[in-house]
Amino acid sequence: MHDTFLLVLGLIGLLTIASLLLPIANRINFPYTVLLAVAGSLLGILVLTAGGEHPPGLFGDFLASLEALNITSEAVFFVFLPALIFESALNINARHLMTDIGPILLLAVLGLLISCVLVGVLVWGVSEISLVACLLLGAIVSATDPVAIVAIFKNLGAPKRLTILVEGESLLNDATAIVLFTILVAILLGDAQAGLLSATGQFLKVFFGGIVVGLIASALVAALIGKLRNMPLVEITLTICLAYLSFLFAEHYLHVSGVMAVVTAGLLMNSYGRTQISPQTWHALTETWEELAFWANSLIFFLVGLLVPKVLITFTGAQLLSLTVLTIAAFAARSVVLYLILPLLNKVGLGQKISLTFRTVMLWGGLRGAVSLALALVILETPGIDQDIKAFIAALVTGFVLFTLFVNAPTMGMMMRFFGLDRLPPAEQMIRNRVMALSIKRIRKGLDHAARTDRIAPAIATGVADIYEQRLSRVKRSMSIDAAQPDTVTLSVGLTTLTNHERHLYLQRFADGLDSAKISRALLFQADALQDSLKMNEVEGYNNTYRQTLSYGVTLKCALWLQQYGHLTRPLAIQLANRFEVLTVIETVVTSLLDYNRDKIPPLFGEPVADRLAPLLQTRLKLTRQALDALRLQYPDYAETLQKRHLVRVALRLEETTYRQMLSENMISQEVFTDLTRELDKRSRIMDRQPKLDLGLEPEALVAKVPFFATLQAAQLHQIATKLTPLLVVPGERIITQGEPGNAMYFISSGAVEAEVLPKPVRLGSGDFFGELALLTQAPRNAHVTAISYCQLLMLKLTDFQQLTADYPELQAQITRAAEQRLSPGQLIAQVPLFSALHPDELQAIVRRLQTRVAAPGETLVIRGEVGDALYLIAAGTVEVRTGQNEPVISLGRGDFFGEQALLTDNPRNADVVATDYCELLVLEKSAFHDLVTSHPTLQTRLRRT
């Protein structure tokens, strides 16, 4: 009972002091964590000087509780660490983290290994401790603490990228340090042999095993939270359970990295879980985690301070020398990575560049804290390790942690101010100035109104107004500096404001229940991409990014591939349904942005900026509507379903608002309200289910819509449908590529395509077919064919085509006639060497007199004994010339010609000519032939020789 009393008193007393120190730290502009460590050191001195004799009363009991407060490594690992890490990961932008994942991993893995080796070797050189123990010391002190430095960065207003770089490194290198620590402890105890391969395997297992645990745990919890509504207490509690259970399960049961499990869980909850929780609950959740992190952070730094007097009493001169070497080695190793290795990687294109200023701040900002102390406590509690090693490691770890807290942390603000990193970037400074100017103008109007209403003397009102007039003058001077910024910067600032509002609108729609969690995630992802592109490439980046979001992403292309080659329609239906909803919301939101630009941007940035932003938004709206109209034309029934669903969601939102208003006015009781909202939640869950999109790819239904097959009976249609493969293609998708071999033809059930043929492109629509020429002649494709709308196609492969034309000669005749009409003499004549020596103008004159013909296999083109009426030139395919029963058969192919002898001699045909496969022919009638040979004697000579 007494021990429990002292434990509660000690913890509550420390939290009380911590709560009082926070406003003091803010008032004196001093790092809060350092102030905690200082206060803890003073308390430690009091406890040490008391020597177990405490005065009676509350203060004496408090000192006794501190003396009895026995912090263990397990307490740090399993109580404090999950809360600190999860809160940091929950508030870091996963997209920005992945953008800089290269340098972060370099610092977290390679940087830590270099630091461990350099510290270990140099300390080993000046101490009497074994090399393995010194390497163990290096692993412990190389783990940076995200909590301390990020708290300082927040107070100083550090740039976001710098904060993400330092915080990301700190989160990931904790796992590296713990894995390396585990391996070295096993070697020190004689339980394992040192080996690069085994150590690497162990690291990969522990590191990535923790990631897998975090992914699975957070996905399960996020899915569970998504099924709960209006239960913020349960949702917040589940995130706390997620942090601790993922850590415990990873560390205790699977023996993988609990730190990486918690980091992964926090990042996934930040990105995926954000759209599973209402904005109101999310706000409460982040506040709860901020409170938990405040408690853990306060207690752990207090406990650091309590250790200071005990360490300093036993600190020796030899340990001081080792600590000096350790400090120099740690900063030298960090310098090697930041100033040598990282720039080299940037030169070969790995990772984004980090400025020299950022690298200098990162060098000085590598504070140590909870993880280092916890690992040192593990050494103290591990049996089998020599007492001298325990004392040595504990003293140096504590000393180095205190050095970074009492030297690095207090001077961080000075360094940030020296490099100008405590100031807002130009773009945000511009927004700040304009917001402040607008606010001051409104305040002045409000002061005038208040003075008149409350009958305050004009002199007093003028005195107060003058204060704001002076502030407005200073802001206007700053705005005059802003005016010197390039137009692209000003436009980028305006677009940033619009994009921030766009993101707010997406979150608001999700909060109002108008969009599902899945669609909201996609929209927020796109908004984040727009913000990132604005930072990287300004207006051009914004335009390129939203155009990319209107195109077809990797996921939809994979779904198209599965449908076209695996005949799986469900993934494609889901992707198109998602695209339908996303485009619908973007159309609505961009329309709202145009109104926002008209009403809100001019007071902030002026009418010229709003006038220049409007066309950008109008172009985006136009392109969005074009993409959406293409879907609506293809699936009008689904578009109507979505519109009805939206109206039902609006009605549900209005119904909920009405119930809440009645509750606030005491028109209904809480019990009635709960019952009404319970029924409302059931209907809301039904509306969250995405309607199924029918792609309409049933073969028989598609065949029935193609006029080409209109003359066939139902049984014949069914037979043909089994040979046809239904396909859905999207606008802009290349269906046929020029030059590729022809292995299929296509029938258009609905939609339109464009064939890029000369002299101008040809468009084909519902009921048409294409691709038959290459299929008939087995010649390469002669044109690109691209979809210009969503198209439902029926693909007929070569083997099925041959079977179909054999079974249905009338279909073969139709295809052949259509192919003849599509042949262009101008394209085919290039395949005939006979005219190669002619001048282009002469060639064009001949082309105008040529006709095209497609011959089917077995078709007789020339009959022996008949009068010659035309010359035939073969552009594709082969024919056989049969002069008699005892004469050899002559085979002719592309570039050859026949029928000229009967025209030149006016004698009857002397042979039968039969097509052996599909042939593309150019036909020159008799009169045109005689005109040609008369005007070109050289051609007549060549024909006679042949």
Side-chain angles (χ1 to χ4, degrees), residues 355-564:
S355 67
L356 181 64
T357 299
F358 274 25
R359 281 180 277 153
T360 303
V361 174
M362 291 172 69
L363 170 67
W364 199 243
L367 306 186
R368 272 61 170 183
V371 174
S372 296
L373 290 171
L375 294 177
L377 288 172
V378 170
I379 294 298
L380 292 175
E381 298 166 5
T382 301
I385 298 179
D386 186 82
Q387 290 298 325
D388 292 338
I389 294 178
K390 290 183 177 181
F392 180 80
I393 290 178
L396 264 66
V397 170
T398 306
F400 187 61
V401 169
L402 294 176
F403 178 86
T404 61
L405 284 178
F406 294 150
V407 177
N408 292 48
T411 56
M412 184 58 65
M414 187 187 306
M415 178 173 287
M416 297 278 287
R417 286 187 290 273
F418 176 78
F419 288 115
L421 296 178
D422 59 331
R423 297 190 294 270
L424 290 173
E428 295 187 14
Q429 183 73 28
M430 187 182 298
I431 295 176
R432 173 190 176 276
N433 290 336
R434 281 159 172 72
V435 168
M436 187 177 292
L438 183 62
S439 175
I440 291 174
K441 290 177 182 178
R442 291 177 178 175
I443 290 172
R444 288 169 55 196
K445 292 180 180 179
L447 286 174
D448 292 341
H449 177 75
R452 290 192 302 270
T453 303
D454 299 332
R455 303 180 65 185
I456 296 175
I460 298 174
T462 302
V464 175
D466 286 344
I467 298 173
Y468 286 94
E469 189 67 33
Q470 294 171 7
R471 287 184 61 191
L472 183 60
S473 299
R474 290 195 296 270
V475 172
K476 286 182 176 179
R477 284 196 294 271
S478 298
M479 291 173 64
S480 65
I481 298 175
D482 295 340
Q485 295 287 345
D487 290 344
T488 54
V489 174
T490 307
L491 280 179
S492 297
V493 173
L495 280 175
T496 300
T497 304
L498 290 173
T499 307
N500 289 334
H501 184 63
E502 179 177 349
R503 196 177 197 280
H504 165 74
L505 290 176
Y506 292 147
L507 286 172
Q508 187 61 50
R509 288 177 62 89
F510 173 67
D512 292 342
L514 299 180
D515 300 323
S516 66
K518 178 173 66 174
I519 298 304
S520 296
R521 276 195 301 275
L523 292 166
L524 290 172
F525 183 86
Q526 292 186 13
D528 289 340
L530 286 174
Q531 290 176 337
D532 292 344
S533 63
L534 276 169
K535 293 176 183 177
M536 297 293 295
N537 298 308
E538 298 180 336
V539 179
E540 182 182 358
Y542 177 88
N543 290 332
N544 292 337
T545 300
Y546 83 69
R547 289 173 189 269
Q548 288 176 2
T549 61
L550 294 177
S551 63
Y552 305 100
V554 175
T555 307
L556 194 142
K557 289 179 179 178
C558 290
L560 275 169
W561 187 89
L562 288 173
Q563 190 276 318
Q564 293 173 358

Side-chain angles (χ1 to χ4, degrees), residues 856-876:
E859 183 178 347
T860 301
L861 302 170
V862 169
I863 301 174
R864 183 166 40 187
E866 70 179 4
V867 178
D869 59 351
L871 169 70
Y872 298 87
L873 304 112
I874 306 173

Side-chain angles (χ1 to χ4, degrees), residues 2-21 36 39-48 50 52-70 298-299 302-303 306:
H2 186 67
D3 291 341
T4 303
F5 167 78
L6 289 179
L7 176 63
V8 173
L9 178 61
L11 293 177
I12 297 303
L14 291 176
L15 287 176
T16 302
I17 298 173
S19 301
L20 297 176
L21 288 177
L36 286 174
S41 301
L42 294 176
L43 289 174
I45 294 172
L46 287 176
V47 171
L48 197 63
E53 297 181 1
H54 308 297
L58 179 63
F59 183 69
D61 289 339
F62 177 61
L63 291 179
S65 68
L66 295 181
E67 190 175 22
L69 198 59
N70 183 24
S298 301
L299 290 173
F302 256 131
L303 296 171
L306 290 172

